[in-house]
Amino acid sequence: MSGEIRFFELNTGAKFPSVGLGTWQSDPGLVGEAVVIAIKVGYRHIDCAQVYGNEKEIGIVLKKMFEDGVVKREDLWITSKLWCTDHAPEDVPEALNRTLQDLQLDYLDLYLIHWPVRMKKGSVGFRPENLTQPDIPGTWRAMEALYDSGKARAIGVSNFSTKKLEDLLEIARVPPAVNQVECHPSWDQRKLHAFCKSREVHLSGYSPLGSPGTTWLKSDVLKHPILNMVAEKLGKTPAQVALRWGLQMGHSVLPKSTHESRIKENFDVFGWSIPEDLFAKFSEIEQARLLRGSSFVHETFGPYRTVEEMWDGEI
């Protein structure tokens, strides 16, 4: 599969930019500059979340870039996410309003339920006693109301297994447009990918480089021999090959960086492609999920007793 692959079409008809800047674990003081660099390089998709704690800084930068005429609001795709403490239907619109206020925007292009997990309102951190029983249908109805209002031009989910997505599609009036999940050559989500495609839900891949900057994860995704062999043959970096693999697989990618050189490198994934014979080699890569969501699993509190339950066996 060659071609530019600059956009994917969502079930709303919207054109979703295929490469977005991830902002998870981007430190305050650095994230604003990263957004400025990314937009100037050509990124048109910024992936945010309330829980990342940096939406205010991103909002200040976006406002200035709009005012300076660097980019128009309608040319940017801004995603954010509903945190686990705001799942009660009455809290959903308030959470979106807070995010819009912080980002200094009138609407989001996409609003996602961050995890299929609910925590007590106002709780901070990941203490197990804060875990409660989610009511995804109730939360989703509140999301649908935001879609109806135009404040969220598309709605979706994140970290949903095939089963959880299937259950949601059964009851949804407005089907989710996107399921944002971990996806990279060492966790290619083939089963979920096929299901999403069959139901016209776009799969968007976070940690597309395997989260090399996450200190508490042992990630060697970019060191994999197959990835490095392909990179060498094509004269590209392993990161560029991992991202281009994602686009050719049919999903968008959300690489995170605050370094100018890497932000540029991660966007240089157009105008070339991985040939079929090399692309086929990726299926030989051993699969392992990196982000297991263990903080949401407990023997007493919350709905999930094991990591297997959390992901419905997709681990």
Side-chain angles (χ1 to χ4, degrees):
M1 185 180 180
S2 57
E4 289 286 271
I5 325 183
R6 284 189 179 265
F7 296 95
F8 291 103
E9 193 171 313
L10 300 186
N11 59 21
T12 59
K15 281 185 161 183
F16 188 62
S18 62
V19 179
L21 180 75
T23 61
W24 178 47
Q25 295 183 320
S26 291
D27 296 333
L30 293 177
V31 72
E33 187 54 28
V35 169
V36 170
I37 293 163
I39 290 171
K40 288 183 174 170
V41 165
Y43 287 72
R44 290 296 175 263
H45 178 183
I46 311 294
D47 181 70
C48 310
Q50 191 157 25
V51 78
Y52 299 165
N54 53 22
E55 290 191 327
K56 272 192 174 143
E57 186 178 337
I58 293 169
I60 291 164
V61 163
L62 291 177
K63 184 170 189 270
K64 187 167 186 341
M65 295 193 91
F66 298 147
E67 284 171 355
D68 293 351
V70 177
V71 69
K72 294 192 180 101
R73 168 65 187 102
E74 57 269 27
D75 294 335
L76 271 193
W77 185 284
I78 310 290
T79 296
S80 189
K81 309 177 194 85
L82 176 80
W83 186 237
C84 308
T85 50
D86 295 312
H87 274 215
E90 64 275 16
D91 294 334
V92 173
E94 282 181 30
L96 175 62
N97 286 339
R98 278 198 305 279
T99 275
L100 290 174
Q101 204 174 338
D102 287 349
L103 291 170
Q104 302 193 42
L105 299 174
D106 299 324
Y107 69 91
L108 286 180
D109 297 277
L110 177 64
Y111 198 40
L112 306 175
I113 296 178
H114 204 148
W115 286 88
V117 170
R118 188 170 179 174
M119 297 161 95
K120 286 176 188 166
K121 188 180 177 176
S123 63
V124 177
F126 294 88
R127 297 224 310 275
E129 57 269 32
N130 293 326
L131 293 168
T132 59
Q133 201 65 30
D135 169 23
I136 298 298
T139 304
W140 188 252
R141 281 191 293 275
M143 296 285 284
E144 290 174 329
L146 299 179
Y147 174 76
D148 295 338
S149 75
K151 281 187 171 182
R153 295 194 171 177
I155 52 175
V157 294
S158 181
N159 299 301
F160 271 50
S161 65
T162 305
K163 183 186 183 303
K164 287 179 177 60
L165 185 57
E166 192 168 15
D167 291 347
L168 175 57
L169 284 162
E170 297 262 306
I171 58 100
R173 173 174 60 85
V174 179
V178 169
N179 184 15
Q180 188 189 117
V181 293
E182 175 188 342
C183 197
H184 46 76
S186 298
W187 187 248
D188 61 23
Q189 297 274 17
R190 276 176 198 248
K191 180 187 172 192
L192 181 62
H193 223 305
F195 180 74
C196 285
K197 204 172 175 185
S198 74
R199 302 299 292 270
E200 294 186 337
V201 177
H202 176 72
L203 189 146
S204 190
Y206 71 69
S207 300
L209 308 176
S211 267
T214 306
T215 48
W216 43 269
L217 280 178
K218 263 186 76 68
S219 168
D220 294 324
V221 173
L222 292 181
K223 294 179 184 148
H224 198 282
I226 288 178
L227 200 55
N228 282 270
M229 177 271 291
V230 173
E232 208 171 304
K233 285 200 172 180
L234 299 178
K236 302 293 177 186
T237 65
Q240 287 169 330
V241 169
L243 295 170
R244 182 68 202 184
W245 167 85
L247 301 188
Q248 289 179 221
M249 281 290 286
H251 62 260
S252 50
V253 290
L254 304 165
K256 169 255 157 178
S257 182
T258 52
H259 301 282
E260 184 167 3
S261 60
R262 289 208 199 110
I263 291 170
K264 286 179 174 168
E265 175 191 322
N266 292 343
F267 200 68
D268 184 11
V269 291
F270 305 108
W272 61 278
S273 62
I274 304 166
E276 266 178 50
D277 59 327
L278 294 178
F279 193 77
K281 295 264 180 214
F282 282 82
S283 63
E284 297 168 20
I285 295 177
E286 197 180 332
Q287 298 293 297
R289 183 188 285 282
L290 289 173
L291 286 127
R292 296 167 66 81
S294 311
S295 310
F296 302 128
V297 170
H298 195 267
E299 63 219 17
T300 315
F301 299 104
Y304 310 121
R305 300 287 160 260
T306 62
V307 172
E308 284 82 358
E309 268 183 39
M310 167 96 192
W311 299 106
D312 301 297
E314 291 174 15
I315 54 165

